[in-house]
Structure formats: structure tokens, C-alpha cells
Amino acid sequence: MKPLVTSVRAISELATGLSPDAVSSSPILFEFKTPGVDFLLAAGDDEGVQRIVIAREGNIKEPFVPDHLVSLRRDVLSRMKSFAERARTPGPLSLPRQWHQYKYNNYVAFRVASKIDARASRWITEVAPGDRADVIFWKTTTSSSKSTLEEFESTRPTLPNWDGVWAQAVAAAEEHFTQARSQPADVEMSLPTLEQSTTKGWTYQQWLAAITKEQGAFVDARTDKSIRLRGPAGSGKTLALTLKAIREVLSAREAGGNVRVLVVTHSWALAGQISDSIDSMGLGLLNEIDVFPLLEIAKTISPQYVQDASGFNLIGDDSLSGKLAQLDEILEVLEDFIGGDWITYKGRVSDSLRTRFDAEGEDERLALAWDLLIEFGSVIGAAAIFPGAGSDLRYFQLPRTSWMLPLNSREDLRVIFDLYSRYMASLDDRSLVTSDQVLADFLSHLETHTWNRARRSQGYDLVFVDEFHLFSPLERQVLHYLTRDTSTYPRVFMAVDPRQSPSEAFIGLAADETRSSSSMPADDNLGDVANFELTTIHRFTPQILDLIKHVHHEFPTLDLGHEWDIDFTRVESAKADGSLPLLISAASRSGEETDIARAVQELYQEGRLALAVVDSRQWQRFSGLASRIGTSGKFHVSTVSGRTDIEGLGYRSRGLVVGPAEYLAGLQFDTLLVAGIPDLNATGSTANERTRYLSLLYLALSRAQRNIRVYVNEDDGGAPEVLLRAVTNELMEFDRGSLV
């Protein structure tokens, strides 16, 4: 037995579905092997981090879960992560009822996953004493191989002593990630800080001379009213937003005045990109501009968190990671509730809500969790309603609007509030606080006389918001309080991508099953809002734009509201002509993978290269392919299995990035390989599924600058009709791939 020592961060990354073979190419994971024990660490892990030990009894097929649980790997790893997080919370260990736990001394046994496998597997774990609360996953028992905790304790094997090697593993990981961030440019993959920064080193004046008429109109627009800047992927919204922020600072300086500018983002990754871009424009320090995620602003200003001594821990570093963590928490509460007390409610709620709670599909359950996240954070939390006697009545009396989860009766509201109470209790038990809770408290503070006085000095004259479409109703309510002048409407400048929605960004295909809208009127509390639309594409060639237009027009009508519409007949490309996109059809999945490997060998030296996977359910297959390509030693391969992974990729002028299409948003590549396209022609696929996959195909294609190759195979139904029609219309060329 050779144990594996790892961490919560590392297990979380594995739980995304990353193939075990792709660990070596992950930008945030590091393996350190010794004769007696293996280590797997994530970027940011230090010597004091909680350690997870997997004894690996009977692991032959892979290093992370027992062989008979490989098909449930993601679910098993997610529960391992959740157990470790619960174990380090002060006080008695509390597990959801559906885990069916047994305890004996420091040992805990529980079901390995939310889906009961045929062998009824259970973990036998041990929680080590002390503040670190290390967890050992000793073994799994099954229906054919049962073992009580008392019996296990008497026969427990002995682990090798690895404490002395732990510091070496952490030091090696730190050195590895430091080197990865400082590699010379000729061996690393370049991920431009802005969608348009294809020419590096340009000054502010050079950019002003190069931008389009539409971008220039936005940059020069008056600032006496809020402005919504809309445009499809690649139209240069972030660049225009950045240039306008700089322009207002320089104009104020020339006039002998002073202006405070805030650029608000949804994530630290985007905040860092914009900040780096401002620094690169040759203007020296622009101290008048602050660039932060909204959550960081709340933590900095809100008195509850500036002076917090409660011992509670925030889950997530920004709104992006925070919402992902909240979804995991809500799914656990929902699973426990449906397996238990739901039976006492289901006869009284409306038919529509009962259908959603009784649905067993993974997408339906995930969509319900998303709707609950919006309800908990943007409705109940925003109203500062906390579980307790009579608090449900306050919730029942809240007015409901069209963007909220449809709840048709008092009993519908009652079951939702019961879930909210359980959710809050689960968080309190583990001393956790969510990003939505922080923002709800922040909103309460912003509505006080204290802030109304303080905002004159601490507030901002102008507020710029990038990726406005990703902000929840709760987050949007916060924005207009951040300006300093209370006598006029706030001046907020919002960049919006009409083709992206928050639910799709977080839960993918399951977004089709959601019932609440993640947006309310975009100009809420902002007074008169001007609309600017960018219609010139700078990222890709006219040939790529023609294909994207073709896919766009294949979309069924999407109910996204009038402000999301784009007239693609007006969109043009400013790039020089390029080659037609290529459609390659192989006879099998293995043939498709062979064709992709050949393309990497052919195109690697030509610049930035990416493989975008449309169907995330095929991610494990393609992350494994990435590993096989990387092991040759000829190519630098990086995998992106989550939105936050782009922070660890660095800046490289050459290399291959492999990831689901939805996680490559915001990046750009010279050549884009697109694969993992499901059978869109299948009779069993719904209109929503086809729309979702077409949307992801659209997103993938929009990451390319010069070349596109789309790979399909006959095992997955061959080329979808939308691409075959593109070939017929001479928007793509067709080529036969591997015949085996």
C-alpha cells in the first residue's frame, strides 16, 4: 500500500472530471513522488493546509478512487472533499442524513456518493485530532465485504511515516508554480490580457488611433448618464471599457480636477487582466483607478467584515468561485431534504414545483439548485431575512417579480423557506459564510445614513462594470450605491455580452431547466441609460465571422429579453481574409483523437493553439488525450477544467490549451480545434439541448483568430446539420478524417 497525501484544493480540481492522466498537464496541480508515499498538491497549498490521505487499498486502475468506483469518480471525489471540509469545522462533525453515517471514536463510515452504487459502498475514514483535522480515507466496504468500525480499528494497517517529507513536497510545489509563472516567453502560451491585444506594447494613444468608430464613440461619450455597451464575443468591449476609464482620468487631470474611478469585475482573474492592461499603456501610475471584484469591495468597506472576529470562513475568493461553492452546498442540502422530509410537503405544493423536486435527472437537480441559489441570495438574503420564529411570514409577504423563481402558492414558499433554513444551518454548523451573504450584508450597510455620509469621500465618481451579464440581481443592486454623488443618478458603464448568461456559465447544459432569471432590468435605479453597440469584430477573420453568423442564425428563439438582441447583419470583421474553416469527419472516436493529435503536431509551431470541447460530458476523454499529447515531451500542454484555471496558465507564445468551451471564454488563440460535439441530430435530444450545444459551439468558434478545424466522428452521429449546411453554403471545407 502506497498512500497518496493531497489537499481539499487538489481534490476539488479532480472532482471537475479531470482525467487522472491529465494531472501532469494541469496548471494548478503538482505531483511529488517518493518511494513510500505520493503527494498531490494544488497551487496555494502550504505546510499548514489540511491534509487528505488516501490509503489506496486495492487501487489498480487509477490513483484516486477504488477500482469499482471509477464510473462514479466525480461524485466520489466531491463527497470526499465535502467530508474533509466538514471535518475541519470546530465542534462535533455533522453530516447530512443521506450519508447514513456511523461513528466510533475518531472513525466515521458513510456512503461514498449521492448515487448508490450496486455494491452499496461506504468509506471508512479517520479524522486525526488537532486543529488541522487531517482525514484518512482508509478503505471502502461493500455489501459483499462488510466491516464494522470496531473490527477495522483492531486490524487497521500502519501507514508509512511521511511527516518529514511533507515539507519537502510543499517546497517542491512552491518552486514548481513559481517557475511556471516565470517561464520565458518563447516556451509559454500567451493568453492576452484583453480580447484585442494582438499587438503587444501599444500605448494608450496608439490604441485610440486603432479602435473602431463604435469603440471611439463610447470612449468619447459624455458621462452625464449611465451607458450599456453591448457586443458579441471579440468586439472589444473590455478594451473600450478600459480606454474610457483611462480617458476620464486624463481629462480630469487636464482640467485640474480629480476623479475616482472603479472598475468592477466578477472574478479576480478578469480584474488582474484589466489592471495589467492599464499598467501596460505607458501612462505611469493611474492611482485614480481601482480594479476589484465586487466581493472584494464588499469585504473592504462593509464594517461587518472589516472588523470580523466571528471565526467564520468565506467560501470562495470572488463571486465566481463563491457561487460554485454555494451550488455544492445547496445540492447537498437538497439531496438530504428530498431523501427525507420532502414526503411531508409534496402533497401540498403545486404540481410544477412537485415535478421539479421529483425529477431524478442530474441536469434537473442542478437547475433546481441554481434557482434556489438565486432565491436564497437575491430574494431572501437581500431582504435580510434570517431563519427564526416568524421570519417565514416576512418571506411570504415579499412581492414577487418576473425574474424570480415561479412559486404559485403559500405551500411552495413554505418548502423553499424550509430549505433556506436548512442551508443556513448547514453553513453555520461549519462556520461558513457565502459571497451572497457578504453582499447582502454589504447592501444593508450601503442603505444606511453612515454610508450615505461616507460615500462622499469613499465612493467613486464613475463605475465601470465588465461582464455585467454575469452579475446576479443582488450584485446589481449594490452597484448604484458605490458612486459618491447622491444628488444625481449614478454613472455606471456596463459591458454586456448578449450571448452569455450567468446560469450557463456556472451549470452548463442544466441552465435550460432553470425557471428563475438571473437578471432584472439592466437599468434598474440607473435613470436614463444610453445604449452603445459594437458591430466590428477585431478578433477573427471574415471567414470565421461568416461561420459564427451562420451558427448564430441557426439558434432557436431564445427568451432573453429585448436588451440581449444583436443584429448580426451589421457585424463586420476588420481582419484580413483567411482560410475557410475546416470540418473533419472520422469514422470513430479513436480516429477523431488521432486526427487531433496530427493537427497539433502540424500546427503547434504556428502560434497559440487550443482544443475546445463542446460537450463537457466528454471532458474526461479529451483531458486524457491532452495528457497523451503532453507525455511526448514535444509539446507544452495545459488543461483548463474550470473558469479559475486560466489564472495559473501564465503567458506563453506557444503551446496547447485543452478545455471545455465554456471555460475558454475570454481567451483567444491563433488556431482553434473544436471537438466533442454530441449528436445534435438524435431524435432523443430536446430543443433546449440543441440550443445549448449550438450556443457552446458558437462560443468555441469565437475563440479563434485565424484558423478553425472542427472534428466530428460517426460514433457520435457525425457532423450536425448546422455544419453540413455551412459546407453546402461554402462557409466551410470538408475533409475525410481517419477511417478507423
Side-chain angles (χ1 to χ4, degrees):
M1 175 179 63
K2 187 181 182 183
L4 172 72
V5 181
T6 184
S7 68
V8 168
R9 286 193 186 98
I11 290 290
S12 299
E13 178 69 6
L14 294 173
T16 64
L18 188 72
S19 168
D21 294 334
V23 167
S24 60
S25 63
S26 169
I28 64 173
L29 294 178
F30 172 71
E31 294 176 294
F32 184 79
K33 298 186 177 183
T34 71
V37 61
D38 293 337
F39 297 87
L40 179 66
L41 297 172
D45 286 340
D46 55 30
E47 283 194 55
V49 75
Q50 180 193 31
R51 299 172 295 194
I52 298 173
V53 183
I54 306 175
R56 299 201 288 195
E57 180 182 281
N59 286 43
I60 298 174
K61 293 181 180 178
E62 68 158 73
F64 307 122
V65 300
D67 291 352
H68 70 283
L69 296 174
V70 168
S71 62
L72 295 175
R73 179 192 299 108
R74 293 181 64 173
D75 206 2
V76 172
L77 291 168
S78 293
R79 182 155 291 189
M80 292 169 69
K81 172 188 77 79
S82 180
F83 178 79
E85 290 174 335
R86 293 171 183 273
R88 69 184 180 209
T89 303
L93 177 61
S94 175
L95 300 181
R97 181 189 314 166
Q98 292 303 108
W99 291 28
H100 294 278
Q101 68 175 4
Y102 294 98
K103 294 183 179 179
Y104 178 74
N105 294 333
N106 288 339
Y107 299 97
V108 185
F110 57 87
R111 286 181 176 171
V112 299
S114 59
K115 300 174 183 177
I116 302 176
D117 67 301
R119 300 171 68 175
S121 302
R122 302 174 64 84
W123 275 116
I124 290 182
T125 66
E126 180 181 1
V127 180
D131 294 338
R132 192 200 296 261
D134 292 341
V135 174
I136 304 173
F137 288 85
W138 282 106
K139 61 178 291 188
T140 54
T141 64
T142 64
S143 55
S144 61
S145 177
K146 296 181 179 180
S147 175
T148 66
L149 296 181
E150 294 86 345
E151 291 171 342
F152 176 76
E153 184 182 43
S154 64
T155 60
R156 187 191 76 173
T158 301
L159 291 174
N161 187 351
W162 48 268
D163 272 346
V165 192
W166 172 246
Q168 297 177 31
V170 172
E174 291 176 349
E175 181 180 359
H176 166 78
F177 291 118
T178 299
Q179 290 181 351
R181 289 190 292 269
S182 61
Q183 288 289 325
D186 61 343
V187 297
E188 295 204 355
M189 168 67 64
S190 175
L191 301 179
T193 57
L194 288 173
E195 292 181 352
Q196 276 189 281
S197 54
T198 55
T199 304
K200 297 184 178 181
W202 279 19
T203 65
Y204 169 70
Q205 293 298 334
Q206 286 175 311
W207 275 119
L208 286 183
I211 58 178
T212 65
K213 179 180 178 181
E214 293 98 336
Q215 288 173 304
F218 172 75
V219 172
D220 294 335
R222 292 165 55 95
T223 58
D224 55 349
K225 65 172 66 176
S226 294
I227 299 176
R228 187 188 302 111
L229 179 67
R230 308 177 331 130
S235 57
K237 298 180 296 299
T238 299
L239 175 64
L241 207 71
T242 304
L243 292 174
K244 181 159 186 62
I246 294 173
R247 179 191 185 280
E248 298 309 321
V249 168
L250 297 181
S251 296
R253 287 182 178 181
E254 291 174 4
N258 182 39
V259 63
R260 291 195 76 209
V261 175
L262 173 65
V263 181
V264 183
T265 67
H266 205 251
S267 68
W268 273 112
L270 183 56
Q273 291 171 8
I274 294 174
S275 182
D276 289 346
S277 177
I278 293 173
D279 292 342
S280 71
M281 293 201 181
L283 298 170
L285 291 177
L286 296 178
N287 293 323
E288 298 94 328
I289 303 178
D290 288 339
V291 186
F292 289 112
L294 184 59
L295 182 60
E296 185 65 20
I297 299 167
K299 290 161 58 181
T300 303
I301 296 177
S302 185
Q304 297 97 318
Y305 298 96
V306 171
Q307 306 168 3
D308 183 32
S310 65
F312 274 60
N313 297 307
L314 178 64
I315 53 175
D317 298 322
D318 50 31
S319 295
L320 172 62
S321 58
K323 280 190 174 60
L324 292 172
Q326 288 176 69
L327 276 172
D328 288 341
E329 298 291 335
I330 292 172
L331 282 168
E332 281 195 6
V333 172
L334 190 57
E335 175 195 342
D336 187 43
F337 174 75
I338 291 176
D341 292 343
W342 165 236
I343 189 68
T344 65
Y345 288 92
K346 65 184 301 181
R348 302 196 298 267
V349 301
S350 65
D351 291 342
S352 58
L353 192 63
R354 185 186 309 113
T355 299
R356 297 199 69 190
F357 273 79
D358 286 341
E360 296 182 355
E362 185 176 343
D363 284 352
E364 288 89 346
R365 185 66 52 85
L366 192 55
L368 178 57
W370 175 263
D371 284 338
L372 292 173
L373 182 147
I374 298 298
E375 188 75 11
F376 292 171
S378 297
V379 181
I380 307 176
I385 299 175
F386 307 102
S391 56
D392 56 344
L393 298 179
R394 288 186 57 204
Y395 173 52
F396 299 161
Q397 293 166 4
L398 291 177
R400 301 199 67 78
T401 59
S402 59
W403 61 266
M404 298 179 184
L405 171 67
L407 299 172
N408 302 316
S409 68
R410 176 64 63 90
E411 292 302 323
D412 285 2
L413 292 164
R414 196 181 306 279
V415 73
I416 298 301
F417 195 79
D418 187 354
L419 277 168
Y420 173 68
S421 300
R422 294 165 187 252
Y423 171 63
M424 293 290 287
S426 175
L427 295 172
D428 287 345
D429 285 345
R430 289 170 289 149
S431 301
L432 297 176
V433 62
T434 70
S435 55
D436 277 348
Q437 289 173 338
V438 173
L439 288 166
D441 288 343
F442 186 39
L443 182 59
S444 297
H445 171 65
L446 296 177
E447 293 172 335
T448 64
H449 291 295
T450 301
W451 174 249
N452 198 50
R453 292 189 297 270
R455 66 191 291 184
R456 297 166 193 167
S457 58
Q458 297 183 41
Y460 294 87
D461 298 289
L462 305 173
V463 176
F464 293 80
V465 188
D466 205 2
E467 292 190 331
F468 180 73
H469 48 279
L470 294 183
F471 284 72
S472 71
L474 169 63
E475 293 163 337
R476 295 184 182 193
Q477 291 179 65
V478 168
L479 295 171
H480 72 277
Y481 285 105
L482 299 179
T483 54
R484 66 167 69 179
D485 189 351
T486 61
S487 63
T488 64
Y489 280 114
R491 292 175 291 171
V492 180
F493 306 89
M494 303 153 280
V496 179
D497 185 340
R499 274 306 187 190
Q500 296 187 44
S501 69
S503 55
E504 288 187 359
F506 287 99
I507 63 175
L509 180 62
D512 297 329
E513 306 297 333
T514 58
R515 298 293 182 272
S516 61
S517 170
S518 300
S519 61
M520 38 188 208
D523 52 359
D524 186 62
N525 296 314
L526 298 180
D528 186 16
V529 180
N531 286 289
F532 279 70
E533 187 156 334
L534 300 183
T535 58
T536 301
I537 299 295
H538 303 267
R539 177 183 301 155
F540 34 74
T541 65
Q543 288 72 26
I544 294 176
L545 176 59
D546 286 343
L547 177 59
I548 290 174
K549 286 183 179 181
H550 170 77
V551 174
H552 172 89
H553 291 307
E554 291 285 336
F555 282 17
T557 301
L558 301 181
D559 184 19
L560 297 177
H562 68 278
E563 72 268 27
W564 298 93
D565 296 336
I566 277 191
D567 182 5
F568 258 74
T569 61
R570 298 173 53 209
V571 176
E572 297 179 350
S573 172
K575 285 273 192 178
D577 281 340
S579 58
L580 282 178
L582 185 60
L583 175 63
I584 301 100
S585 180
S588 65
R589 282 189 166 191
S590 61
E592 177 187 36
E593 293 170 15
T594 299
D595 293 340
I596 292 171
R598 288 172 179 164
V600 171
Q601 187 169 6
E602 173 192 346
L603 301 168
Y604 188 80
Q605 299 298 326
E606 296 185 11
R608 300 177 297 274
L609 180 65
L611 170 60
V613 181
V614 173
D615 185 356
S616 60
R617 293 172 296 187
Q618 297 193 40
W619 168 233
Q620 184 175 333
R621 175 164 79 98
F622 287 102
S623 63
L625 173 62
S627 174
R628 294 195 296 274
I629 294 173
T631 53
S632 68
K634 299 178 181 178
F635 313 106
H636 189 290
V637 182
S638 298
T639 54
V640 176
S641 55
R643 279 182 171 265
T644 56
D645 286 2
I646 64 172
E647 298 176 51
L649 283 176
Y651 298 88
R652 305 183 183 104
S653 60
R654 189 175 298 113
L656 170 68
V657 173
V658 183
E662 58 201 286
Y663 297 141
L664 298 182
L667 306 182
Q668 62 189 50
F669 305 91
D670 296 291
T671 298
L672 205 290
L673 312 178
V674 183
I677 300 176
D679 186 0
L680 300 180
N681 308 324
T683 55
S685 61
T686 66
N688 281 339
E689 288 174 332
R690 288 191 291 273
T691 299
R692 170 61 182 162
Y693 287 126
L694 283 172
S695 179
L696 285 172
L697 177 60
Y698 161 88
L699 177 62
L701 298 175
S702 68
R703 301 303 99 199
Q705 293 178 276
R706 293 202 307 261
N707 300 304
I708 286 178
R709 295 189 184 185
V710 181
Y711 293 86
V712 296
N713 67 81
E714 294 177 10
D715 286 344
D716 289 330
E721 290 183 11
V722 60
L723 296 182
L724 293 176
R725 283 194 290 271
V727 173
T728 301
N729 295 337
E730 298 183 348
L731 302 176
M732 297 186 78
E733 293 182 342
F734 180 83
D735 192 14
R736 175 64 66 183
S738 297
L739 300 178
V740 294

